[in-house]
Amino acid sequence: MTNKNGRFGVHGGQYIPETLMNAVIELEKGYNYYKNDPAFNKELSELLNEYAGRPSRLYFAKKMTEDLGGAKIYLKREDLNHTGAHKINNVLGQALLAKKMGKTRLIAETGAGQHGVATATAAALMGMECVVFMGEEDTKRQALNVYRMRLLGAEVIPVTSGTATLKDAVSEAMREWTNRIADTHYCLGSVMGPHPFPTIVRDFQAVISKEIKEQMLEKEGKLPDAVIACVGGGSNAIGSFYHFIEDKSVRLIGCEAAGRGIDTLETAATVNTGKLGIFHGMKSYFCQDEYGQIAPVYSISAGLDYPGIGPEHAHLHDIGRAQYVPVTDDEAVNAFEYLSKCEGIIPAIESAHAVAHAIKLAPTWDKDKVIVITVSGRGDKDCAAIARYRGENIYE
Amino acid sequence: MNRIKSAFENGKAFIAFITCGDPDLETTAAVVKEAVKNGADLIELGIPFSDPTAEGPVIQGANLRALKGGVTTDKIFDFVKKLRGEVDVPLVFMTYSNVVFSYGAERFISLCKDTGIDGLILPDLPFEEKDEFLPVCRKYGIALISLIAPTSENRIAMIAKEAEGFLYIVSSLGVTGTRSEITTDLKSMVALVRQNTDIPCAIGFGISTPEQAKKMAGLSDGAIVGSAIIKLIEKYGKAAPEYVGKYVKSMTQVL
């Protein structure tokens, strides 16, 4: 699905400083070599299975299905992975790749902290140095994850520039990479940034849809009718969609963070409110003003609080293969509480955006239809923030 | 394009970078005129961007101050049109790809020609992506200026062969900002450039003192200074033009 310089339709590319060009070229060469190396793949499979706990369960949410009274609902339990989210799939792949390429240091950006924790974890496991950039605002929203990263031996650098959230953490990680390239791999956490990152991260996350397909055929003897996932940069969504892209009967639905609503300025719904632009190394859709200044986006979810979307999603939107729907803070918080009470599963507030859309969709579909929701992460990290959202003054 | 060449015709060139609208466009105009009066041969005018990923804290600060002050691409074109009537040195824009892309490449680049801009530097547009804007730049005679970095190595010949205007040599790894020491082997970089092109090359990133400027210009055809000038503007605000003038004089005197 990619052509020269990693294009997905018009999207993608390599819009980065010259200083980084040889680094991304070296990364692409390294990746193209190791992705076909049986020893690399064996080692990665072992890590994913024995360390991260794959395959993750595809769980039939019987109570939720009965309660909503429509389509059958399955939950893809990425929240059960080691470190509590899908992020570990990509990080183990990239860290192993970096190590094979002779790198000794990982740097990363993080929003909610899940990617930072996963990177710190892989660095600890593989004996690598680790530095994580996190918006200062997010270090407050996700204080527990900051502690976890430090516990794992990583240095966490709070980013104060711009809006002090995920986009600024990405900018700062890119700046640091131009400063120190020889021993350092930038372990990008989503399907974004310059080529080859959107392809590498997608390939490492595609294990999600590969498993869903196998598990669904085993349980239902057919493909699902819809796969629903939340989208910030879009790594768990592309991972959930990838092996279904050619199966046109499967509806692919990405849930964007609408924040306080797509008719307000306090939103992060990129496809629904953004326009085509060039930023963070890629051409894609971005929330921006009429002069191309990147908008200070907002969502209750630190992990979806990003003004752009990965180039492959932008392309899937253009060709109509996937649909991107906005979900507000309120809807996500309701879904967070709903899944907790209904199924005893506390989803990450990011994943709750996908749950929220399924709650709307399932009752409108017949009982013979099947919906898969990817629960990309677990919600322990969000409990204090959601309590505060509901007016309960608890602190971690 | 010939105007850029003229900046390098009277010995070593001194190139000053100034962010438009920091703290306001009147000050920017006065700073440019002072810099030119004191010997600056070419001016890089920065169009502020909300997220300047190639800049260090000093120029990031200038970008944010300018945007906060309400400057826009339209206001900057009006400003340049007026400024062009008062200064003769070559003027090039330095900004980020999205500023040009969102304005519309054709509209932006044709306005560059109409207002008297000679070139365009986009630090997030490497060789591989230059076709994004190059055909339109050629159509209007605006030089799309290429950069080479300490990590460019095997890419230098390829970039230099197709370079236009002047070649911007990035002195060090990392982002913009003053440095106490520049350790890159610039001599071999410049030698490789010279083997592949006749257009002039200037060194930027990290230069703040007359000694550094002299050394860097000695290795190439000129020195580019940004953060050191921005620091003066940050410190003195509307009173900065006089201080920038004195500073530029201290630099141009030794070149």
Side-chain angles (χ1 to χ4, degrees):
Chain A
M1 205 147 175
T2 56
N3 52 28
K4 195 172 164 280
N5 298 340
R7 291 281 172 172
F8 303 90
V10 301
H11 306 282
Q14 294 179 303
Y15 299 87
I16 48 169
E18 170 59 23
T19 306
L20 290 176
M21 278 307 300
N22 266 328
V24 297
I25 291 168
E26 179 199 12
L27 176 62
E28 183 177 11
K29 281 186 187 150
Y31 178 64
N32 285 337
Y33 175 79
Y34 284 108
K35 76 175 180 188
N36 298 315
D37 175 29
F40 176 85
N41 284 306
K42 183 166 175 280
E43 203 173 336
L44 180 57
S45 290
E46 276 172 15
L47 282 170
L48 289 171
N49 297 340
E50 303 302 322
Y51 185 69
R54 300 211 72 86
S56 69
R57 300 300 169 113
L58 184 69
Y59 166 74
F60 172 48
K62 189 161 173 279
K63 266 185 82 191
M64 186 175 171
T65 300
E66 283 167 3
D67 183 59
L68 295 174
K72 264 180 125 168
I73 292 175
Y74 281 85
L75 305 177
K76 180 59 174 167
R77 299 290 309 276
E78 291 299 303
D79 58 314
L80 295 179
N81 296 338
H82 179 45
T83 71
H86 71 291
K87 293 292 187 186
I88 194 80
N89 306 330
N90 165 47
V91 163
L92 288 173
Q94 282 199 50
L96 190 62
L97 175 62
K99 196 160 184 181
K100 299 272 180 201
M101 289 172 66
K103 307 288 178 181
T104 57
R105 179 173 176 257
L106 298 176
I107 59 171
E109 83 295 339
T110 197
Q114 293 304 107
H115 176 59
V117 167
T119 307
T121 299
L125 178 69
M126 297 186 196
M128 299 169 92
E129 201 185 323
C130 181
V131 179
V132 179
F133 294 87
M134 187 170 187
E136 193 178 41
E137 186 61 31
D138 294 334
T139 63
K140 290 179 198 155
R141 287 197 277 195
Q142 302 288 351
L144 185 60
N145 273 340
V146 176
Y147 179 76
R148 290 168 78 194
M149 287 182 267
R150 289 187 173 138
L151 180 65
L152 290 159
E155 183 187 354
V156 179
I157 300 184
V159 176
T160 54
S161 59
T163 50
T165 60
L166 181 53
K167 86 173 160 81
D168 309 287
V170 173
S171 296
E172 213 49 44
M174 282 182 169
R175 289 181 183 120
E176 172 57 22
W177 203 25
T178 64
N179 198 37
R180 191 167 156 186
I181 298 169
D183 67 347
T184 299
H185 173 69
Y186 178 14
C187 187
L188 229 164
S190 194
V191 283
M192 46 157 293
H195 176 68
F197 284 106
T199 299
I200 291 180
V201 179
R202 176 202 68 202
D203 289 354
F204 287 141
Q205 291 294 0
V207 66
I208 301 174
S209 51
K210 185 170 169 278
E211 288 176 4
I212 294 174
K213 205 173 206 177
E214 290 165 3
Q215 292 163 326
M216 188 54 70
L217 287 171
E218 196 182 304
K219 287 175 195 289
E220 293 283 337
K222 61 172 190 173
L223 295 177
D225 297 286
V227 176
I228 305 180
C230 64
V231 183
S235 70
N236 93 80
I238 209 78
S240 304
F241 295 171
Y242 186 66
H243 287 286
F244 295 110
I245 290 174
E246 298 305 320
D247 300 314
K248 300 290 160 62
S249 69
V250 183
R251 276 181 64 180
L252 306 175
I253 305 173
C255 300
E256 297 194 311
R260 299 208 162 89
I262 53 170
D263 49 353
T264 73
L265 289 173
E266 290 174 295
T267 181
T270 310
V271 171
N272 284 279
T273 67
K275 59 174 185 172
L276 192 61
I278 297 168
F279 183 49
H280 278 163
M282 58 182 172
K283 186 181 277 184
S284 187
Y285 294 109
F286 295 97
C287 299
Q288 54 186 308
D289 75 6
E290 60 172 310
Y291 292 105
Q293 307 295 346
I294 303 304
V297 292
Y298 164 81
S299 161
I300 189 172
S301 144
L304 304 181
D305 197 355
Y306 182 72
I309 187 169
E312 191 163 8
H313 284 295
H315 179 60
L316 292 175
H317 167 75
D318 284 356
I319 62 172
R321 180 62 191 95
Q323 180 192 0
Y324 295 86
V325 298
V327 174
T328 64
D329 283 0
D330 264 344
E331 292 170 324
V333 170
N334 287 338
F336 177 87
E337 293 167 342
Y338 177 85
L339 196 67
S340 302
K341 292 203 167 70
C342 186
E343 289 288 347
I345 294 170
I346 304 173
I349 189 64
E350 289 77 18
S351 323
H353 286 70
V355 176
H357 187 68
I359 291 172
K360 285 189 254 180
L361 189 63
T364 68
W365 280 15
D366 291 341
K367 290 184 178 173
D368 62 341
K369 300 275 187 192
V370 177
I371 293 173
V372 176
I373 309 167
T374 298
V375 180
S376 58
R378 67 176 182 224
D380 311 47
K381 67 181 178 57
D382 299 306
C383 288
I386 302 299
R388 291 198 292 276
Y389 185 84
R390 290 297 193 209
E392 266 184 72
N393 239 348
I394 67 164
Y395 286 89
E396 286 151 344
Chain B
M1 246 182 267
N2 284 334
R3 197 149 42 187
I4 290 179
K5 211 174 160 194
S6 73
F8 296 88
E9 276 168 353
N10 304 308
K12 303 292 184 181
F14 180 78
I15 299 173
F17 169 85
I18 297 155
T19 302
C20 293
D22 170 31
D24 52 50
L25 286 168
E26 294 71 40
T27 308
T28 306
V31 168
V32 170
K33 283 183 261 181
E34 277 297 316
V36 171
K37 201 169 88 185
N38 287 286
D41 300 291
L42 188 153
I43 304 288
E44 281 181 22
L45 292 169
I47 303 181
F49 181 52
S50 52
D51 300 80
T53 48
E55 315 297 349
V58 172
I59 296 180
Q60 283 178 47
N63 279 267
L64 294 181
R65 284 193 300 276
L67 289 173
K68 220 173 169 182
V71 84
T72 64
T73 309
D74 284 322
K75 288 179 187 171
I76 290 169
F77 274 122
D78 289 343
F79 154 83
V80 171
K81 201 172 175 184
K82 192 159 166 266
L83 182 70
R84 203 12 123 198
E86 302 173 69
V87 297
D88 291 328
V89 300
L91 300 172
V92 306
F93 271 148
M94 166 136 175
T95 189
Y96 285 77
S97 294
N98 203 43
V99 170
V100 181
F101 183 81
S102 73
Y103 202 80
E106 183 88 22
R107 185 172 158 227
F108 186 96
I109 294 162
S110 65
L111 270 172
C112 285
K113 182 182 160 70
D114 293 349
T115 55
I117 290 288
D118 304 289
L120 185 57
I121 305 174
L122 300 169
D124 60 350
L125 192 81
F127 182 86
E128 278 75 0
E129 299 295 351
K130 68 178 181 175
D131 278 349
E132 186 76 47
F133 302 121
L134 188 63
V136 191
C137 284
R138 291 240 167 97
K139 180 175 166 188
Y140 292 101
I142 302 298
L144 187 59
I145 291 161
S146 300
L147 296 94
I148 62 170
T151 50
S152 295
E153 298 169 354
N154 55 335
R155 299 167 51 81
I156 294 176
M158 164 182 91
I159 296 169
K161 278 195 180 98
E162 295 186 20
E164 296 181 355
F166 72 93
L167 199 60
Y168 191 133
I169 300 181
V170 175
S171 76
S172 314
L173 291 178
V175 291
T176 56
T178 57
R179 287 166 172 80
S180 52
E181 215 180 357
I182 293 167
T183 54
T184 308
D185 180 9
L186 291 159
K187 206 172 160 185
S188 359
M189 281 172 77
V190 173
L192 208 46
V193 167
R194 302 260 196 247
Q195 283 169 27
N196 289 285
T197 183
D198 294 330
I199 70 156
C201 59
I203 300 174
F205 276 43
I207 303 171
S208 62
T209 66
E211 294 71 37
Q212 285 175 322
K214 193 174 177 183
K215 195 173 164 200
M216 292 301 124
L219 290 167
S220 64
D221 302 306
I224 307 165
V225 173
S227 295
I229 292 172
I230 302 296
K231 274 185 188 169
L232 291 172
I233 297 170
E234 184 182 0
K235 187 172 175 189
Y236 295 105
K238 291 175 198 287
E242 182 196 338
Y243 295 94
V244 174
K246 277 186 202 154
Y247 172 75
V248 170
K249 194 166 191 179
S250 75
M251 301 292 270
T252 53
Q253 267 174 347
V254 300
L255 294 185

